[in-house]
Amino acid sequence: MTIRVLIADDHAAVRAGIALILGGHDDIEVVGEASDGEEAVAMALAARPDVVLMDIRMPRLDGISATRELSGITDVLILTTFDVDEYVFGALRAGAAGFLLKNTDADALVEAVRVVARGEGLISPAVTRRLISAFRSSVPRRDAREVAGLTPREREVLACIGRGMSNAEIARELDMAEATTKTHVSRVLNKLGLRSRVQAAILAQELAEES
């Protein structure tokens, strides 16, 4: 399957560089380039890419606001120069599937696109530790009855997400098809009102600590 990617960045040279990196791989196709947030939203709604690589600081509409508009429509991977907490937390609250810094090397960027396209979350190692500790307080607390509303299998899937497992790893762990795993992950997010897999992982860790 070819992964269709939209690149959103207000610097033409950056867009060109990313397109060159991604275009060198047979399983990735760059379907468009947007120079600001409004254009990114419009192009994503029209082209329906699998992944949007989104900068944060852009004119007309910033990347976080654009991500919020695209939540539930396509997966957004934030790619930015800034690892300011406000941007990291804002992007993930908006529903971003991942957060990477622009100093990420080419191979890691390509792999990040593939990971997000598989429906999995990804966060730059440079911000992971402080993100997990600080972002917990910003994820809406879930009433025990909401979590209890999950089926036993969905609770198992949530626990696996909290352990940082990929869909393929969850499928092997719980002895089910990967497509079935993806369905369960989507149901968990919908039932708990969460925007991203990252938020689900944080919730799962909280539940594990409380048990």
Side-chain angles (χ1 to χ4, degrees):
M1 183 190 82
T2 300
I3 302 168
R4 303 172 72 253
V5 179
L6 172 66
I7 302 169
D9 195 291
D10 59 335
H11 293 95
V14 172
R15 295 197 305 271
I18 295 173
L20 185 62
I21 291 171
L22 299 181
H25 297 267
D26 293 338
D27 61 332
I28 299 176
E29 176 189 2
V30 176
V31 297
E33 298 180 22
S35 60
D36 60 60
E38 285 190 6
E39 188 176 14
V41 171
M43 292 182 70
L45 292 176
R48 297 295 173 125
D50 300 301
V51 179
V52 177
L53 275 176
M54 185 84 74
D55 189 18
I56 286 183
R57 288 187 173 179
M58 294 187 292
R60 295 209 295 168
L61 187 69
D62 64 85
I64 293 176
S65 298
T67 297
R68 188 175 298 110
E69 291 195 27
L70 293 174
S71 178
I73 297 173
T74 186
D75 286 322
V76 176
L77 173 59
I78 297 291
L79 186 62
T80 181
T81 305
F82 309 97
D83 67 344
V84 180
D85 287 353
E86 176 187 357
Y87 292 158
V88 179
F89 304 156
L92 296 177
R93 278 195 294 266
F99 189 101
L100 279 183
L101 300 179
K102 286 183 178 176
N103 60 6
T104 300
D105 65 45
D107 288 343
L109 174 60
V110 171
E111 183 57 27
V113 168
R114 290 171 176 154
V115 167
V116 170
R118 291 198 298 266
E120 299 166 17
L122 184 144
I123 304 173
S124 170
V127 301
T128 300
R129 184 166 296 177
R130 76 172 192 270
L131 170 68
I132 294 299
S133 60
F135 193 61
R136 279 178 178 169
S137 61
S138 69
V139 175
R141 299 289 297 183
R142 292 290 177 254
D143 186 282
R145 289 172 297 181
E146 292 183 78
V147 178
L150 300 178
T151 66
R153 178 62 91 187
E154 288 165 352
R155 287 197 289 273
E156 290 177 334
V157 169
L158 178 61
C160 288
I161 292 174
R163 289 159 56 192
M165 298 173 70
S166 68
N167 286 348
E169 290 169 336
I170 295 174
R172 288 194 295 272
E173 175 78 9
L174 301 181
D175 191 24
M176 59 184 180
E178 191 168 344
T180 304
T181 300
K182 291 181 180 179
T183 299
H184 281 306
V185 170
S186 296
R187 287 176 178 168
V188 167
L189 296 182
N190 289 334
K191 285 186 177 182
L192 297 179
L194 300 173
R195 286 177 172 267
S196 71
R197 190 187 186 99
V198 175
Q199 291 183 352
I202 294 170
L203 173 61
Q205 290 175 14
E206 286 183 337
L207 295 173
E209 290 175 359
E210 292 172 0
S211 62

